[in-house]
Amino acid sequence: MAILEILEFPDPRLRTKAQPVTDFGDELQQQIDDMFQTMYDAPGVGLAATQVNIHKRLFVIDASEDKSDPRVFVNPEIVEKRGIEEMEEGCLSFPGVYAKVQRADEVVVKAQDRHGNPFELDTGDFLAVVIQHEYDHIEGKLFVDYLSPLKRNRIRKMLEKQQKKQSKHLLIN
Ligand code: GNR
Ligand code: NI
């Protein structure tokens, strides 16, 4: 198991459209385990493969209070969306940034589990929001894309400043 590096906005690799998973072998199993470890360590409620520079259609989520509900979605498709809700979202690729985003409040998602077995999930509330957030990541889409260009630019400048500061600290060592 390993903790993977999480790409941060505006890294252009976050814009990659991920490719379907066809091989459910050892490499995939290792990547899924590493993604869970990275997500729990961060900590976050979800993590898309794109965020750790793995361009496969895959994400992991644990939206439970006590971190007892690990879920894997491979080759997911959102086949139905119902209703609208607005929630304050955060993203591990945007440390310290929170913004209100409107999404469907219920989704039906078809996906495969880590062994390739198909399943369908009809869900709402927080889990539905996180599923839509993660699905966007594997399409190369980010939650700030729902904000105005002005707000997005402000966020980009803040994060670039933060990243420069961090790399300076690294250079001294
Ligand atoms: O940890 C996370 N919290 C969160 C809160 C509201 C809506 C979506 C999320 S997902 C985020 C982790 C992340 O960046 N996943 O891609
Ligand atoms: Ni995210």
Side-chain angles (χ1 to χ4, degrees):
M1 295 251 276
I3 291 168
L4 308 172
E5 189 193 331
I6 298 173
L7 303 180
E8 289 183 7
F9 184 79
D11 193 310
R13 292 171 291 181
L14 287 169
R15 295 301 185 181
T16 312
K17 186 175 154 80
Q19 295 303 308
V21 172
T22 53
D23 185 346
F24 289 80
D26 288 348
E27 187 192 50
L28 183 74
Q29 303 310 314
Q30 183 66 57
Q31 287 173 329
I32 290 169
D33 290 341
D34 290 347
M35 284 174 62
F36 271 118
Q37 201 187 6
T38 304
M39 179 187 78
Y40 286 124
D41 175 74
V45 297
L47 184 72
T50 309
Q51 290 178 279
V52 289
N53 204 28
I54 295 170
H55 301 289
K56 295 182 181 175
R57 302 186 73 79
L58 149 75
F59 51 79
V60 297
I61 294 179
D62 190 336
S64 68
E65 299 257 303
D66 57 349
K67 299 294 157 207
S68 59
D69 188 23
R71 293 170 185 262
V72 183
F73 298 78
V74 180
N75 298 325
E77 279 182 80
I78 298 176
V79 295
E80 218 181 303
K81 293 185 184 186
R82 305 182 206 108
I84 294 179
E85 78 169 333
E86 193 173 63
M87 194 182 280
E88 185 125 289
E89 297 194 13
C91 181
L92 294 172
S93 298
F94 293 77
V97 177
Y98 301 89
K100 277 186 191 158
V101 176
Q102 269 191 10
R103 300 199 187 263
D105 66 359
E106 262 185 74
V107 296
V108 180
V109 55
K110 284 186 182 178
Q112 285 164 282
D113 69 14
R114 65 188 296 159
H115 305 297
N117 306 308
F119 67 92
E120 193 176 304
L121 177 69
D122 185 334
T123 192
D125 304 314
F126 187 47
L127 180 57
V129 169
V130 180
I131 287 171
Q132 292 168 82
H133 177 111
E134 303 311 337
Y135 185 81
D136 277 353
H137 273 302
I138 65 174
E139 288 288 301
K141 190 166 177 165
L142 299 166
F143 80 130
V144 295
D145 297 348
Y146 298 97
L147 308 178
S148 69
L150 189 74
K151 285 182 182 168
R152 196 159 49 246
N153 268 320
R154 206 181 288 152
I155 290 167
R156 181 177 51 74
K157 282 182 185 140
M158 196 197 87
L159 290 175
E160 279 174 345
K161 197 171 155 187
Q162 223 172 68
Q163 288 158 18
K164 270 192 194 128
K165 213 163 123 190
Q166 277 164 8
S167 58
K168 248 185 206 163
H169 287 303
L170 282 174
L171 275 171
I172 295 167
N173 294 325

